[in-house]
Amino acid sequence: MLPYQTVFFDLDGTICDSQPGIYACAVYALEKMGCPIPDDATLRRFMGPPLAESFANFCGMTEEEAIRASNFYRERYNPIGWKENRVFPRIRQLLCELKKRGAFVAVATGKPQASAEKILSYFGLTQYLDAVAGPQNGEFHISKQELIRRAMPENAGKCVMVGDTVGDVEGARVCGIDSVGVLYGYGVNEEIMASKPTHIAETTDDLCNILCPGMEKGKGWFVTLEGVDGCGKSTQAAMLKEKLEQFGYTVHRTREPGGCPLAEEVRKMLLAKEDGGMCPETEALLFAAARAQHIHQVILPKVEEGTIVLCDRFVDSSIAYQGDARGLEREWIMEINRVALTKGMPSATLYLRMSAEDAFRRRLAESEPDRIEQMGLQFQQKIEQGYEQLMQEFPQRFVAVDATKQPEEVAREAFEKLFDRMNREGIL
Ligand code: TYD
């Protein structure tokens, strides 16, 4: 049985961190106005009060200037800034768990209701909520108690309001319900403590313990990225990590060959220009050796902790490169990679699909080739065929995206497909 049957959450500073977007838009507006950029402490004061008031009070603008600055702010906030929110870690899991255990879960926020709904929907959180209450069009300064009342269901049972400011705690008190003051948001901690909420949560872990005692850590997930040399994997891995973190996931990015000290040593041998006459079998065994260490030392423990592990290349690379391109038997490659196949296979493999020709052209313009990259176009074509075959063989695991598009477009498509799969698999 949950301690509270109805839980109201504040949005900014409680469910998500809106600071990156707010700072970036304030800086954009100030630059447009030709004003100096204030220090972080001043920018922090933009969190909360109405915009024009902040520009007037903290940057010494006249009323007319403050209105112009606010318009510049919106010029960036409306298309981009609101998407720069970051969901706090474990909040997605907490909302899902509350819902699963039968609680009524609502958001009561001072942010206009339409904006709040847009943000919650973008971050995939709407599915866990029963109600969202925020000021409607044209309404100003609605008190927290009024918002709580609007979201209150019939037969609410025991209720609690969770928030990072004194307004949240006092709103709860006026409504006669309990409160949790969270200290990881934007409120002044001494003030929240002084307002005497029923509970204090220093971290989102504390919050989980208060609202959902006994809640376990989330499931981890193992994702690999594959593609021919030059398909843009490193850029995509970095963008994917950033996006997943924004959505509240804990992510560990790693690569093969490498990812732990011993495997990084093996990597130096494998990619050195001077290869000492390395034969294909030795090459395949070295990749497999580095991989075994990486799986035991990094991948499995991280997934066990509930982390999303993003790995740049994995066993599919050995099959495509050492198998299909170098001509070693696939069965033997599988045999020497048994640790990967039996203990550490990825749940999903993002395949950045690009023809060997396109990738070759792109690479020529960029960096100096390493030993494997020096093998030339025909070699890359065999790798491409190898991947195409793997994609046919493992349609469940492979998530293919067209990597010839603009990097932002590829990243958007890749994230959407993976996030959809994570939702279906209950990865929170
Ligand atoms: P790297 O510089 O990491 O290239 P990329 O960014 O394309 O991954 O070098 C890794 C090289 O090693 C790359 O050419 C692919 C190759 N490779 C194999 O041949 N077999 C494998 O099992 C792995 C993991 C990589």
Side-chain angles (χ1 to χ4, degrees):
M1 173 89 165
L2 288 171
Y4 295 99
Q5 289 74 55
T6 296
V7 186
F8 302 97
F9 285 90
D10 168 53
L11 181 60
D12 285 347
T14 302
I15 287 184
C16 52
D17 179 2
S18 46
Q19 181 175 304
I22 292 177
Y23 275 29
C25 295
V27 167
Y28 172 86
L30 289 164
E31 278 170 355
K32 284 270 186 179
M33 295 291 291
C35 293
I37 309 302
D39 58 13
D40 269 14
T42 310
L43 281 173
R44 191 181 158 85
R45 296 168 73 192
F46 273 72
M47 315 287 301
L51 258 185
E53 222 172 82
S54 296
F55 283 119
N57 292 343
F58 313 139
C59 308
M61 291 187 190
T62 63
E63 199 183 323
E64 184 268 331
E65 285 168 340
I67 291 171
R68 270 180 45 222
S70 306
N71 288 337
F72 283 131
Y73 179 99
R74 287 193 198 94
E75 191 174 282
R76 187 176 181 283
Y77 189 81
N78 289 340
I80 308 170
W82 67 278
K83 290 186 188 165
E84 291 167 336
N85 266 289
R86 302 180 86 85
V87 177
F88 287 111
R90 295 204 80 196
I91 287 288
R92 178 181 306 280
Q93 199 201 345
L94 172 62
L95 294 177
C96 175
E97 191 69 23
L98 284 169
K99 196 84 222 84
K100 225 170 25 196
R101 297 198 202 174
F104 183 95
V105 186
V107 166
T109 171
K111 210 182 204 74
Q113 179 153 334
S115 307
E117 281 171 351
K118 191 161 84 168
I119 291 167
L120 290 162
S121 160
Y122 176 75
F123 286 100
L125 298 176
T126 312
Q127 58 185 320
Y128 309 119
L129 299 172
D130 297 292
V132 178
Q136 305 282 347
N137 265 347
E139 283 184 330
F140 293 103
H141 298 303
I142 307 290
S143 67
K144 211 43 147 297
Q145 53 266 33
E146 170 58 21
L147 294 165
I148 294 173
R149 286 195 191 108
R150 286 185 191 177
M152 183 73 76
E154 281 179 33
N155 308 320
K158 200 155 190 266
C159 303
V160 66
M161 169 79 213
V162 183
D164 68 323
T165 62
V166 175
D168 298 310
V169 177
E170 282 173 355
R173 191 164 292 127
V174 175
C175 291
I177 67 172
D178 282 3
S179 56
V180 182
V182 305
L183 303 188
Y184 55 79
Y186 314 118
V188 180
N189 289 354
E190 295 70 34
E191 288 177 9
I192 305 175
M193 310 272 261
S195 71
K196 297 207 174 357
T198 323
H199 311 270
I200 293 275
E202 271 187 53
T203 61
T204 52
D205 281 339
D206 293 345
L207 185 60
C208 293
N209 288 334
I210 295 166
L211 299 176
C212 262
M215 184 174 125
E216 286 179 3
K217 277 237 170 238
K219 281 195 272 178
W221 216 47
F222 179 30
V223 189
T224 56
L225 288 90
E226 297 281 359
V228 294
D229 286 296
C231 65
K233 252 180 323 82
S234 307
T235 311
Q236 288 304 320
M239 287 165 105
L240 187 57
K241 177 173 191 283
E242 165 63 14
K243 190 83 174 198
L244 285 165
E245 285 175 344
Q246 236 193 321
F247 272 60
Y249 293 100
T250 307
V251 181
H252 178 77
R253 189 180 154 197
T254 184
R255 65 167 180 191
E256 289 211 344
C260 57
L262 198 61
E264 287 290 333
E265 283 304 311
V266 178
R267 177 186 177 90
K268 286 184 200 151
M269 265 189 263
L270 279 164
L271 300 185
K273 289 240 163 67
E274 207 30 74
D275 70 358
M278 190 186 295
C279 66
E281 285 83 355
T282 304
E283 185 182 278
L285 287 162
L286 285 175
F287 276 117
R291 180 164 303 127
Q293 189 67 23
H294 189 209
I295 292 170
H296 284 302
Q297 207 163 22
V298 178
I299 298 173
L300 293 179
K302 287 280 176 197
V303 171
E304 185 66 24
E305 270 170 32
T307 301
I308 309 288
V309 176
L310 280 189
C311 185
D312 196 330
R313 296 198 181 282
F314 196 62
V315 71
D316 297 306
S317 283
S318 284
I319 295 175
Y321 282 74
Q322 283 64 54
D324 301 309
R326 292 260 195 236
L328 296 174
E329 266 179 38
R330 265 192 179 206
E331 286 66 33
W332 184 69
I333 304 283
M334 309 270 234
E335 184 58 34
I336 61 172
N337 278 286
R338 193 178 283 173
V339 185
L341 297 174
T342 56
K343 295 192 185 160
M345 273 313 268
S347 297
T349 296
L350 181 66
Y351 175 41
L352 296 163
R353 201 172 190 184
M354 182 181 279
S355 72
E357 290 80 4
D358 281 347
F360 201 72
R361 235 175 284 127
R362 286 221 304 200
R363 237 155 13 94
L364 280 183
E366 279 170 14
S367 59
E368 244 193 65
D370 60 38
R371 187 176 65 82
I372 292 174
E373 287 174 334
Q374 280 173 344
M375 298 289 298
L377 180 58
Q378 258 188 342
F379 187 72
Q380 294 292 329
Q381 282 166 333
K382 288 188 195 155
I383 295 164
E384 184 196 344
Q385 282 160 16
Y387 277 127
E388 293 293 321
Q389 193 181 332
L390 281 165
M391 196 172 60
Q392 304 300 324
E393 279 174 36
F394 302 100
Q396 299 292 336
R397 175 164 64 84
F398 268 70
V399 175
V401 293
D402 176 358
T404 60
K405 294 184 184 159
Q406 286 299 309
E408 290 70 27
E409 181 57 21
V410 179
R412 196 187 53 73
E413 194 183 327
F415 178 76
E416 272 175 12
K417 287 186 168 168
L418 287 174
F419 187 53
D420 180 53
R421 190 169 282 216
M422 290 167 83
N423 268 310
R424 278 188 277 131
E425 291 186 25
I427 307 299
L428 302 158

